[in-house]
Amino acid sequence: MSLYGLIVVIHVIAAVVGMGPAFAFPIISKIAKNREQLMLMHLLMEKIEKPVKIGSLTLLVTGLILGALNTYLFTQAWYITSIILYFVAQIFVIGVSAKAMKQSNALLEAAKTDVIPGAVLTLNKKSNSALNISSIIAVVMIMLMSLKPF
């Protein structure tokens, strides 16, 4: 196997690790029906978040290495668009969803009853919307890399 082929394999594995679980986040977050379940869901998502971050960063690094090994990729619109979309998705995941989840967690910990506060529900909807947008972006990126349409 060539170096390029090895990097492609690592890139694909990183895509599965970095993006796969992220598709489940909005589904997981809708399961919780009370404060305790929601706190458990937050804990679960925190635990899953670390390998997702590692996979996501590995995805970026290996993608850029592939471009460095074959510099013509930097002239391909699908490749450049994929890199831009990666950063846009990160804005939604880190800038919107993670912040909303952190605020939601703080409100949950401060709550004295088992009822989920309305502000937490609002923050969770905001987080889910951001995660759904990032999932759509991920699908577009996969299509761009697979089909290379332009």
Side-chain angles (χ1 to χ4, degrees), residues 24-40:
F25 282 170
I27 297 166
I28 292 170
S29 67
K30 291 179 183 176
I31 294 171
K33 300 298 181 212
N34 59 43
R35 180 180 169 270
E36 183 179 324
Q37 290 175 352
L38 196 54
M39 289 182 75
L40 179 61

Side-chain angles (χ1 to χ4, degrees), residues 62-73:
T62 55
L64 293 173
I65 291 170
L66 291 170
L69 292 173
N70 284 318
T71 56
Y72 81 92
L73 288 175

Side-chain angles (χ1 to χ4, degrees), residues 81-134:
T81 303
S82 294
I83 292 170
I84 292 167
L85 287 174
Y86 172 88
F87 286 108
V88 171
Q90 294 308 308
I91 291 168
F92 283 102
V93 171
I94 297 167
V96 178
S97 179
K99 284 183 181 179
M101 290 302 272
K102 187 177 272 191
Q103 292 171 335
S104 175
N105 239 0
L107 290 173
L108 271 177
E109 289 175 6
K112 302 293 183 206
T113 68
D114 197 40
V115 177
I116 301 171
V120 169
L121 296 174
T122 301
L123 287 166
N124 284 351
K125 283 183 184 178
K126 182 178 181 178
S127 175
N128 280 346
S129 294
L131 290 172
N132 284 330
I133 290 168
S134 70

